[in-house]
Amino acid sequence: MSELDFLEAKDLSFSSESDFFQYITNDVDLDDVDGNINLIGSVSDYLTKEEFVQALDNGFETIWFTDDLYLLAAHTGPSSIPYYVYLDEDFPVFLTTANITDEMPGTIENFLQSDPNLGRFWLSMEQMELLRAEISREYDDLIIPFFTGHRSEYTEISAEKRDEIDRTVSYWGEDGRQAYKEMRTKYGVLPTNLVFERPNHFKFGIKQEGVFKHQGGSITETWKLYRSERTRKIRVKNAINSGGYDTDARSEQFEGRTISGSRPWAVEMDEAMSTDPLESFVPHISEEEMEFSVAGYKAKPNTPGFDAQLVDTNSYGSTKLRGRRKTIRVYPHQGSGIDQHFRIYNFVQDHFDPACRAVEV
C-alpha cells in the first residue's frame, strides 16, 4: 500500500462523502493501514469550495484529486505526512495517519489556526456529553475504557461532593461507562476526551478539538457520530456568519463607546444569567485550552450582565461581548475569525447555559 495513498483511492470516483466512507467501510482493510486513522473535522468560512482549495496550498502539496476528494502531503523536514480531505462548503473533513502528539500540531493544527477563514471542529463539554449519551443509548454492550472529565466551580451540573471545587479527572477501566456516570453524579464532571468500544465492532476516541481517532474495527460509527455533530453545528455557523466586521455595518454603543463597523450575532439563554458565572468569567475564559486573554471586563450584577473584550492568543484578533440578562451579543473585530467565535459559543454553553442557542441579531 502506498505510503501516502493509504486508502488506495487514486483513480476512483465518489459521488458523495457518504459514498467515500462506504468505500472505506467495504473495500479498505484498515488493519493493513500503518497507524490509526484520525478523522479531523474543520470549519470553512470561504464562500466556495474553490477558495478553500486555494487555501490548501498554504499548508499542503496536492498529490492528486478526483471530484471533491483530494490527497495532500504535509512536509515537515524529511517526512511527508498524508492527508485526505473531502470537500464540503461548510465542514471539510480530513483523514490522516498522522500522530496526534508529534505530527498533527505542526501540520493540520497549524493550517487551521493560521487562516481566519478556517477553524477547528470544536466540541464543548456539553456537546461531548450529548455525543456520549447518543451512542450509549444505541448500544447496550458499549464500553468506555478511557475518559477525561472536567468540572468548573460554577457549572450548571450539580455535584454531590464539594460542588464549589474545580476538578479534572482521568480514568482507565473497562467499567468506564458506569464510572463516568458515578463521577458525573458525585463530582459533577463533564467529558473532555472519550474512548468508545463495542467489542468485535469498533473502537474510537473523541477529543474536544474535533478529532475522531479510529482505533479498530469499522469506521462507520466514527463517521456517523461526526456527521450528527456537524448537523448541529451548521445552525451555529449560520448565526456566527450573520455577524461580521466591515465599514458599512451599523454602529452600536459598547461600554459608552461607539463600535463602528461591527455587526453582532448573539447567544440566547433560557434564563437570565446569574452572578456566579459573572464572577468566574475571567479565570474560566483565560484557561489555557480556551486560547483567549482578557483585555477588559466589567460585570454588571444588578442588570445582570457584563461587558468584555477578548483577544485571541493565536491570531491576536479582538472580539467584544455584551451580556444582558438572557442574551450575549458577540461583536467581531478586525482579525477575529470563525475558530474564535465557535470557542465563544462553546464557552457560553459550558459555563452559562447548556441549552443556549446561537441566533442572528
Side-chain angles (χ1 to χ4, degrees), residues 23-253:
Y23 160 75
I24 297 173
T25 300
N26 295 335
D27 298 312
V28 179
D29 187 347
L30 298 180
D31 290 336
D32 286 345
V33 176
D34 186 16
N36 292 315
I37 294 179
N38 295 304
L39 185 158
I40 305 164
S42 70
V43 183
S44 173
D45 228 11
Y46 283 106
L47 295 177
T48 66
K49 293 179 182 179
E50 289 73 22
E51 289 177 327
F52 172 77
V53 169
Q54 292 177 4
L56 290 173
D57 291 338
N58 295 324
F60 305 96
E61 174 192 359
T62 298
I63 306 302
W64 56 255
F65 67 93
T66 174
D67 301 319
D68 283 337
L69 179 66
Y70 282 66
L71 177 63
L72 313 169
H75 302 294
T76 58
S79 301
S80 295
I81 302 170
Y83 283 91
Y84 291 91
V85 59
Y86 202 95
L87 304 187
D88 180 90
E89 289 185 358
D90 297 296
F91 302 106
V93 58
F94 292 80
L95 289 168
T96 184
T97 54
N99 182 285
I100 289 178
T101 304
D102 301 324
E103 296 175 327
M104 284 173 51
T107 56
I108 184 67
E109 291 181 19
N110 182 63
F111 172 69
L112 294 178
Q113 290 182 57
S114 61
D115 189 326
N117 289 308
L118 299 174
R120 290 158 287 181
F121 197 76
W122 284 106
L123 301 168
S124 68
M125 290 185 290
E126 289 287 349
Q127 286 302 104
M128 293 281 286
E129 167 62 7
L130 185 63
L131 294 177
R132 182 207 63 81
E134 195 174 291
I135 193 169
S136 295
R137 283 193 300 268
E138 189 167 355
Y139 300 111
D140 292 336
D141 57 346
L142 184 75
I143 297 171
I144 300 179
F146 170 76
F147 68 85
T148 61
H150 179 71
R151 174 184 176 77
S152 296
E153 178 180 352
Y154 297 115
T155 182
E156 294 293 323
I157 301 298
S158 60
E160 293 178 357
K161 295 182 179 294
R162 300 177 296 281
D163 63 359
E164 76 282 3
I165 300 296
D166 283 8
R167 51 173 64 100
T168 299
V169 299
S170 296
Y171 189 90
W172 290 264
E174 290 189 0
D175 66 339
R177 183 171 178 173
Q178 294 75 26
Y180 170 76
K181 292 181 180 179
E182 293 165 357
M183 288 195 179
R184 175 169 177 175
T185 300
K186 292 183 178 181
Y187 298 104
V189 301
L190 285 172
T192 56
N193 194 345
L194 289 162
V195 174
F196 301 111
E197 181 177 5
R198 190 180 180 211
N200 302 316
H201 290 85
F202 60 78
K203 183 178 181 181
F204 66 95
I206 305 177
K207 294 173 65 69
Q208 271 195 290
E209 295 85 348
V211 178
F212 295 68
K213 184 178 180 180
H214 173 266
Q215 298 178 18
S218 172
I219 200 172
T220 299
E221 293 301 325
T222 312
W223 179 63
K224 282 173 55 180
L225 212 61
Y226 159 77
R227 189 175 58 176
S228 69
E229 176 58 21
R230 186 174 63 184
T231 300
R232 285 185 281 264
K233 270 184 167 47
I234 189 63
R235 294 188 290 271
V236 179
K237 183 174 184 286
N238 288 341
I240 291 172
N241 283 339
S242 70
Y245 183 84
D246 59 70
T247 55
D248 296 327
R250 66 182 184 273
S251 299
E252 295 201 22
Q253 290 292 317

Side-chain angles (χ1 to χ4, degrees), residues 339-351:
D339 188 276
Q340 185 171 341
H341 290 272
F342 264 101
R343 277 181 274 139
I344 290 171
Y345 174 77
N346 286 353
F347 177 81
V348 176
Q349 190 174 50
D350 282 339
H351 295 280

